[in-house]
Each structure stands twice: as structure tokens, then as C-alpha cells.
Amino acid sequence: MDDRQFRNAMGKFATGVTVIVTEVEGEPHGMTANAFMSVSLSPKLVVVSIGENAKILNKIKESQKFTVNILASDQQTVSMIFAGQLKEHDGVAFDRLGGQPVVPGAIVQVSCEVSAEHVEGDHTFFIGKVTDLQLNEDSEPLIFYCGRYRFLSEETPIA
Ligand code: FAD
């Protein structure tokens, strides 16, 4: 099986889009990620998976903290900025949650402390112990499917 076939197959799993943010010496650094999952209710744990070449990897190792920001449907530009797909922009301002930088306008902002890390292949899983969260019930999520951004449409009623 080649890499393209694997990527195409995994891309059939529709996900939301998050921006993971950490801060080192007062400098926030963000990265777009869809490898995010809720892990445990008691204690409250989440996991993110970060590629070995991502600059944010060593920053999270250093700070031992990160936030997960689930993007809203009108935040495709934000996703593109933090995926390095949009180089020309006016900068990004951050809000704060429990002292940590979060993305304004995200549907959900979750602040975490790293409770464990596991290297698997070319990615590192960071398990985050949730320290705080903020939820905006009124927004719809941005969706990523087959390598493209998508939007939820109204459910088709069952006949
Ligand atoms: P950098 O190149 O350091 O940063 C990425 C971009 O964010 C740069 O353009 C940088 O200028 C900008 N940026 C960072 N901080 C700030 C700031 N404070 N203010 C303004 N701009 C800033 N990769 C994974 O490892 N795991 C995943 O789960 C994952 N999922 C993805 C899902 C989607 C939908 C997409 C599009 C990409 C995904 N990626 C994932 C790829 C990842 O987002 C990119 O490879 C990313 O560019 C690598 O991050 P980095 O820390 O090396 O980035």
C-alpha cells in the first residue's frame, strides 16, 4: 500500500478542525490539527497527535500545556493560517482561558496540562488533562473531509 492510498482512505473519515495552541516565553504558537479525540470522562482527558516535523512539538514538550480550539464554520481562514496555507495575513489575536492563549470565535476552547506523551511512528500523542473549557452553543463546526473544508447541511428527514 502506498502513502497516497493510505491518506486517501483516512481522509474518508470526516472530522472537525481544531487549532492547537501553546505558549513559550510569552509567545503563542498555533497549529491546525484534526487528529483530536476525547479520551476519558473521569478524569477528563483529551488527546492530540502531532507530527514529528511540526514546530509546535517541542514547544508543547517545553510548556507542558496546550489549548484545543474547535473551529466554527466561518473560521476556514484561521485553519489555513495555522496550517501554513495562508502566508499573507494581519496576524492573529488570542483570548485567554485559565491564563492560556485560545482562538477567539472557536466553538469550544479547552485548556489542558500534558499528563502523558507517547511516540507512535512519526507522530507524538499528547494526552491533555482538561483544566478548563468554554463552549459556544450557537455556532456550527467547520468540517474537513477528503482533503477539503466542508460545512454541515440540514439533516434530511427520514421518510
Ligand atoms: P508552523 O509552520 O510553525 O505554523 C503553522 C502556521 O501557523 C505558520 O504559517 C505560522 O505562521 C502560523 N502561526 C503559528 N503561530 C502563530 C501566531 N501566534 N500568530 C500567527 N500565525 C501563527 N498536523 C499534525 O501534526 N497533526 C494533525 O492532526 C494535523 N491535522 C491537520 C488538519 C488539517 C485540516 C490541516 C489543513 C492540516 C493538519 N496538519 C496536522 C498539518 C499542520 O497543520 C501543518 O503541517 C502545520 O503547518 C505544521 O505546524 P508547525 O507547528 O510546524 O507549523
Side-chain angles (χ1 to χ4, degrees), residues 98-140:
Q100 291 199 60
V102 289
V103 176
I107 299 182
V108 175
Q109 302 159 330
V110 187
S111 62
C112 303
E113 288 171 357
V114 173
S115 70
E117 61 181 82
H118 305 279
V119 179
E120 292 294 340
D122 55 13
H123 277 60
T124 298
F125 296 160
F126 288 101
I127 309 290
K129 182 169 183 252
V130 174
T131 52
D132 205 349
L133 68 76
Q134 197 148 281
L135 172 62
N136 173 2
E137 298 277 9
D138 297 329
S139 299
E140 295 273 289

Side-chain angles (χ1 to χ4, degrees), residues 28-35 49 51 54-56 81-85 94:
H29 187 93
M31 189 195 85
T32 299
N34 62 350
S49 175
K55 296 192 187 84
I56 200 169
I81 289 173
F82 288 108
Q85 297 167 331
F94 293 90

